[in-house]
Structure formats: structure tokens, C-alpha cells
Amino acid sequence: MKVAVIGASGRMGQAVLQELIAQGHECAAAVVSEQSSQLGQALDDPRLAGRHYSSGRELEPGSVDVMIDFSLPQALSHNLALAQHLGAPIVVCTTGLADADQDTLAQASQSLPVLYAANTSVGIALMEQLVTLASAGFADADIEILEAHHAAKRDAPSGTALVLGEAAATGRGTTLAQSTAGIRGEGPRQAGSIGFAVLRAADIVGEHSVYLAQTGERIELTHRIRDRQVFARGAVQAAQWLAGQPAGRYKMRDMLDTKALLQRLLHEI
């Protein structure tokens, strides 16, 4: 599989390059912005000898099977335009997207396979489904989402926390916008709301906990990541799957087909 990695000089871009090498895939391009100090520089890994960071302008349609984007929100439109020029499916892993960015993704998905994942961990994709199920079954519970990340993370709550919040709202037959209480501050809790708490410290890679509490009992669903390579593996897995899909907008749970899995398990029960 020929993969173009966007945001290749960043922490996650480097992790994806390592994963591609480990799995025997080809790095078709290591893309950085035209303002990057890395542009034109050779890649550090000796296994990618002869490869240089590029703007992606040299790529031609058919030269890339799929793209993986770990860049910044402000580059989204440019990256999607490049994917459309190449006719290449794209896995977008950028967090902190605004509503307008989501609209841009929706427009691009009309002509391309587009998978958006604020978190490419397979475990988080499974947890999302568990949260929806628990929220529906524990219908009167208070729901609070706690997330912890490294001190330099820019957005809060994290994109993953918001995805889990939306999953909880779906279980209640509503939307996060209608039920969110925002980041928990002072004052009493509003009944029926979904609250968030945020921790930023040191080098925490990513931890998310969803608490569903009723008087006398509670359910806690927790996912922790200690190695960023988990995200890279998930992104490459998503890219492999997306390369064979028709135009449309996808999520990690589509790749896992958790709906079919739940139906099978319920039938067996």
C-alpha cells in the first residue's frame, strides 16, 4: 500500500512512518507545510533513505493509495483538496476541528472516502459503543467524562472526550449540544446533563473515563494509552480498510463493524 503521510515531521507523523515501515507499506510522500523548516530535508530514518519531506505538489493522481493526515486544523481544506486532486481516500486524525471543518469533511466525502477519527485507537472505538449501550440502559444516571492528556495539548475537552459525550447522548436519544454542561466548574450539577472534567499534566498520552452514576451505584468505563504507537497502528489499519471503500464519510466504528458484532452477540445471548 502506497501511503502519503501529512504532518509527517510531527510526533504522530513520525509514529505513522515507523508503523508503515514495520508493516511493509510504502511511504509515497512525507508531507509537511510549505512553511515548515523540514521542507526538503531528508527523513531521519535510514530505512527511508533518499526520501525527503515535501509539500505534496510532486504527487500525481494514481501515485497514492491512501493518505493519513495528522496535521493541524488550519491545513484541512488544503489537505482535502490535495486528496481530491490525487483521487486518494484520506484518514483525517486532526483534533480540534470546528463545525465549519466538519462541513468541509462532509463536502469532501461526496467524492472521496473520508474517515475522520479524533482518536484512532481501536479500544476507543469499542468504548464508544459501550458508552452508548450503558447510557441507554442506565437511563437515569448522571454522566461525567474525565480526560487527561499531556501539558502541551491545545484543545479541551479533547476530541475523544467529545466523541464519548456524543455517544452517551446518542444512548439517551439526544445530542451532545442539547445535553452538555461543558467543563465542570462550581455550582450544583444540572440533572440530565453530560459534564466534562479536564486534566493537563506532564507527558500523559491519553486517558478517558466515563462515569455513569445513580444513587448507590455507578458504572465506570476507562481507557488508557501509554504508547502513541497505538494511534499509529490504528491509523494504518483504518487506511488499509478505507482504501477499499466507496466515497462517503466514515468513522473507526465503521471499520470495526461494531453494529454487526453487537447484533451477533445479542443473537447468541
Side-chain angles (χ1 to χ4, degrees), residues 51-253:
R51 296 283 186 177
H52 295 75
Y53 292 108
S54 75
S55 66
R57 289 181 178 272
E58 78 285 0
L59 296 172
E60 298 291 339
S63 64
V64 173
D65 294 322
V66 64
M67 308 180 78
I68 299 175
D69 176 15
F70 269 104
S71 61
L72 297 174
Q74 55 265 36
L76 180 65
S77 294
H78 172 79
N79 296 337
L80 291 174
L82 178 60
Q84 289 174 317
H85 168 68
L86 298 175
I90 183 168
V91 179
V92 178
C93 311
T94 303
T95 61
L97 297 185
D99 290 343
D101 296 320
Q102 297 294 342
D103 293 339
T104 302
L105 286 172
Q107 291 172 5
S109 69
Q110 295 177 15
S111 58
L112 285 176
V114 177
L115 188 152
Y116 174 64
N119 187 314
T120 53
S121 159
V122 171
I124 282 291
L126 293 171
M127 184 175 174
E128 182 183 349
Q129 303 303 298
L130 294 173
V131 168
T132 299
L133 180 62
S135 177
F138 228 37
D140 297 326
D142 295 333
I143 300 177
E144 294 287 317
I145 300 171
L146 168 64
E147 58 100 339
H149 285 87
H150 56 88
K153 185 169 178 60
R154 301 182 183 188
D155 53 321
S158 69
T160 302
L162 294 174
V163 166
L164 294 173
E166 197 64 66
T170 297
R172 296 283 168 85
T174 183
T175 65
L176 184 59
Q178 294 173 319
S179 53
T180 184
I183 298 176
R184 179 66 58 220
E186 297 179 352
R189 189 182 195 285
Q190 181 180 349
S193 65
I194 297 173
F196 295 87
V198 173
L199 188 156
R200 295 286 179 266
D203 60 351
I204 299 172
V205 176
E207 300 180 3
H208 295 85
S209 294
V210 179
Y211 297 84
L212 302 99
Q214 293 184 167
T215 301
E217 62 177 335
R218 71 174 181 264
I219 294 172
E220 299 178 14
L221 298 170
T222 297
H223 180 268
R224 297 185 179 92
I225 289 181
R226 291 180 289 180
D227 183 355
R228 281 189 175 80
Q229 208 61 33
V230 167
F231 301 129
R233 284 197 297 271
V236 172
Q237 183 178 344
Q240 288 179 280
W241 177 83
L242 190 66
Q245 302 307 311
R249 188 170 181 178
Y250 301 96
K251 298 181 179 181
M252 290 291 288
R253 68 185 183 202

